[in-house]
Amino acid sequence: MSLPDLLAGTVGDEDVVAEVPLGGDDRLAVTPTRTLVYRGDGLLSDESVDEYGHDVERIEVSTGRRKAKITLGYGLDGDETLSVPTKRVDDVLHPILAGVLSASGVTGPGETVVRTFRFSELTLIVTSERLVKHVGSAVWDPEFEEFGYDDLTGLDFEEGTVATAVVLVHDGRSERFKAPNESARAVRETLADAVCSFHGVDSLEEFRVAAAEAEEAASDAEQTGTTDFGEGPDPLSASPAADAEADADAAPGAEAEPDSGGLGTEPKGAGGRDSAAGSESLAGGDGPGATTESAESASVGSPEPSGGSDPLDDPLAADAAVDDAAGDPLAGDEAGAESTDSPAGDAPEAPAEGAERGAGGEPAAVGEEAVAADGEADGVVPDDDAFDGSPFESAGVEDADLASEVAALRRTVEAQSERLDRQSTLIEQLIEELRRGR
């Protein structure tokens, strides 16, 4: 992850050993000699970088509901306070402590700080080579204790109802401190892994066995060094005469001499050699059309007599015509039709009869009106003037006005929604910046 230009310029040639996000663009970067806090451009402040050196004499932490403050004490140079979100305080404190321990010489080159634990007034810092313990209201100050893993000969954990005791055997003495049960498992696993990794073993049992064997070998070496006197001069005796006499008796091939009244002499030198040999033997050492058809009226008349004579002059022809008219009903119809076409025929026709026989003219119009009446009875409105004479009016124009008003209202609501969204975003950003300690 690349650093912002302002932060990268402040870091310079140093290496960033740790980086912690603080929310938004804000972040914390730790180098071997200082801690840098970058603040991005926001509502409350411009882009900036604050520096805090690691040559501190005291570190204190106070936490609130939203913000936490880390106070770095520089002795005569005063104190400086770093504000961070409360949920980030442990993530920020760990790299700061690692930098301070390195700058003060507590940890050596290549030594890493594995984890930091804070329990009320107890602070535990587990590194790859040692355990640093600090007791007091401050998180760290010169009044601390450290326990190197090279001199550690025992590690045990005693569980209780409220807390778990950690027992360290160091330099021949036991050191005990308690961790709350909600954090005891993390303490146990972190510390055990660090110790086993340092000693090259896979479990605490193997560590205990290796420590017991080393302690036993050291005890044996100490005991052997106490009983081995090595070569040296013969011890002096308080009774030279008795020693000489015992040496004479132990010498091989010595001849027994008669008692001469306590005046016998012993050869010198034999006793000295025997005692030297005895001293050397003591040395030893892992989804209707209805078509209507009208019939034409056919004019059926009496046959005209040949020669062009008048029918009335011929009685036989007149009788035949009467008989035809009486016998053929259609003849009467035809006569009626001819009388209708004559100028003297002023008698009105029955509408129904014309409707049955003719196509075109007035009877057909009456039929069309009947069809139109049927259509209205079925609910079909033939034109737009159906509401003439009715108390109801068409609402077509009013519907168009209503649609335009609804569209305008929709645009207004959408614009207000966008403004509310922008205001909500700004308020959330302001709250977030306040929580980050700006």
Side-chain angles (χ1 to χ4, degrees):
M1 185 174 181
S2 61
L3 298 175
D5 294 338
L6 182 60
L7 180 58
T10 306
V11 170
D13 296 334
E14 290 188 281
D15 295 330
V16 176
V17 296
E19 188 174 353
V20 181
L22 300 178
D25 294 332
D26 297 352
R27 66 185 68 183
L28 179 141
V30 178
T31 70
T33 61
R34 53 188 173 157
T35 295
L36 307 175
V37 179
Y38 171 79
R39 304 288 187 182
D41 192 9
L43 297 176
L44 300 177
S45 62
D46 296 331
E47 187 181 26
S48 63
V49 175
D50 297 327
E51 302 182 28
Y52 304 90
H54 288 166
D55 53 340
V56 302
E57 297 180 0
R58 184 181 179 89
I59 300 178
E60 294 182 351
V61 177
S62 61
T63 60
R65 190 165 60 94
R66 294 181 179 178
K67 292 192 298 184
K69 294 182 179 180
I70 301 176
T71 302
L72 305 177
Y74 294 92
L76 296 177
D77 295 333
D79 300 339
E80 292 188 14
T81 301
L82 170 62
S83 296
V84 297
T86 300
K87 61 183 179 181
R88 298 287 188 183
V89 63
D90 291 330
D91 298 334
V92 169
L93 184 62
H94 175 73
I96 292 178
L97 276 173
V100 170
L101 292 178
S102 178
S104 60
V106 177
T107 57
E111 186 175 354
T112 60
V113 177
V114 180
R115 191 164 179 179
T116 302
F117 299 94
R118 284 191 309 122
F119 310 122
S120 183
E121 294 190 352
L122 172 64
T123 302
L124 297 176
I125 306 172
V126 180
T127 75
S128 57
E129 298 181 7
R130 72 195 73 220
L131 173 67
V132 179
K133 184 185 78 169
H134 182 274
V135 177
S137 59
V139 174
W140 186 86
D141 61 18
E143 301 297 327
F144 66 90
E145 296 181 79
E146 59 177 324
F147 305 94
Y149 301 151
D150 51 351
D151 296 332
L152 196 66
T153 58
L155 177 61
D156 198 5
F157 302 91
E158 299 176 355
E159 297 183 1
T161 56
V162 177
T164 298
V166 181
V167 182
L168 298 175
V169 180
H170 191 273
D171 289 338
R173 62 187 180 90
S174 295
E175 179 70 21
R176 301 171 67 91
F177 52 88
K178 292 184 178 182
N181 283 339
E182 58 267 19
S183 301
R185 180 178 179 180
V187 173
R188 179 172 61 249
E189 293 180 356
T190 302
L191 185 57
D193 290 344
V195 171
C196 293
S197 178
F198 180 85
H199 287 277
V201 294
D202 297 332
S203 63
L204 282 179
E205 287 74 13
E206 294 183 12
F207 165 70
R208 295 189 185 102
V209 171
E213 292 177 354
E215 187 175 359
E216 183 179 356
S219 178
D220 291 343
E222 184 180 356
Q223 183 178 1
T224 301
T226 303
T227 58
D228 185 8
F229 293 101
E231 297 181 357
D234 295 338
L236 297 177
S237 176
S239 180
D243 292 341
E245 188 173 335
D247 291 340
D249 294 338
E255 295 181 358
E257 297 210 2
D259 188 9
S260 57
L263 298 178
T265 61
E266 188 78 9
K268 295 183 178 181
R273 287 191 300 271
D274 292 343
S275 60
S279 298
E280 293 174 1
S281 65
L282 294 178
D286 74 266
T291 59
T292 58
E293 185 178 352
S294 62
E296 287 187 5
S297 49
S299 57
V300 181
S302 58
E304 186 176 353
S306 62
S309 63
D310 191 352
L312 296 177
D313 294 338
D314 191 353
L316 295 176
D319 294 336
V322 172
D323 293 337
D324 292 337
D328 190 1
L330 295 179
D333 292 340
E334 291 176 0
E338 290 176 358
S339 64
T340 302
D341 294 337
S342 66
D346 295 334
E349 293 183 2
E353 185 180 3
E356 291 176 358
R357 290 179 299 186
E362 187 176 355
V366 174
E368 292 176 357
E369 292 177 359
V371 172
D374 291 341
E376 292 178 0
D378 292 339
V380 177
V381 179
D383 53 15
D384 294 336
D385 296 333
F387 287 98
D388 292 344
S390 173
F392 300 101
E393 295 180 359
S394 175
V397 177
E398 294 181 358
D399 290 343
D401 293 340
L402 179 60
S404 62
E405 290 179 1
V406 170
L409 180 60
R410 180 181 295 108
R411 288 192 297 269
T412 302
V413 171
E414 290 176 354
Q416 291 179 351
S417 298
E418 292 178 359
R419 294 183 60 185
L420 289 175
D421 291 340
R422 288 195 300 270
Q423 291 176 358
S424 178
T425 302
L426 290 177
I427 292 174
E428 290 177 357
Q429 183 180 355
L430 179 60
I431 293 173
E432 181 64 22
E433 290 183 6
L434 291 174
R435 287 179 177 177
R436 294 200 298 264
R438 293 192 174 191

